[in-house]
Amino acid sequence: MLTWLCATHSSDVVPVVLRLTLAVVMFPHGAQKTLGWFGGHGFKGTMQFFAKSGIPAPLALLAVMAEFLGSIGLALGLLTRLAALGIAAVMLVAALTVHRQHGFFMNWFGNQQGEGFEYHLLALGLAIALIVSGGGAWSLDALITP
């Protein structure tokens, strides 16, 4: 199973661009939730928010770790498929449960209640591409598997 999880074309550069882009975009969100960086509430505050929102603690923990550890995994190219799957799940759930009601577009001009799901759709597309391709060149996955 580890062989399939880490399998990738070590000469393919496209997944590097995809995984670094997704990692750079997701890391601040994960760091907000886990460490309280970038104006976030940290792990305790995030877990309390999820609990008040009715999200069970195990699922909240998975979401927080998917964003934080998943972005680090993507940056390193370590367990790329698993990291991308976690981020894809978080983006899909967020788009369907929170952002769908606000429509497609982000709230660029501050004229709507919340944010649309366009960002989530882009992140989901990047994650799916990485699930299919693996980490590509310059990934730890490429070092793990022949």
Side-chain angles (χ1 to χ4, degrees), residues 62-63 66-67 70 80-92 127 131:
L62 284 173
E67 286 187 22
T80 300
R81 286 187 168 93
L82 182 61
L85 179 63
I87 289 172
V90 169
M91 291 296 100
L92 183 61
I131 292 168

Side-chain angles (χ1 to χ4, degrees), residues 21-42:
T21 300
L22 190 55
V24 165
V25 169
M26 292 306 299
F27 179 77
H29 294 280
Q32 285 178 318
K33 291 174 179 70
T34 307
L35 305 173
W37 293 2
F38 308 107
H41 299 290

Side-chain angles (χ1 to χ4, degrees), residues 62-136:
L62 284 173
V64 170
M65 292 300 103
E67 286 187 22
F68 184 66
L69 295 177
S71 62
I72 294 169
L74 289 178
L76 298 172
L78 179 62
L79 301 174
T80 300
R81 286 187 168 93
L82 182 61
L85 179 63
I87 289 172
V90 169
M91 291 296 100
L92 183 61
V93 169
L96 293 176
T97 61
V98 178
H99 299 280
R100 181 182 62 171
Q101 68 184 352
H102 302 295
F104 179 76
F105 295 103
M106 298 295 291
N107 191 8
W108 294 110
F109 302 108
N111 56 5
Q112 64 188 38
Q113 279 285 26
E115 301 287 349
F117 59 87
E118 67 178 318
Y119 160 83
H120 304 83
L121 190 60
L122 287 170
L124 184 59
L126 291 172
I128 290 170
L130 288 166
I131 292 168
V132 172
S133 70

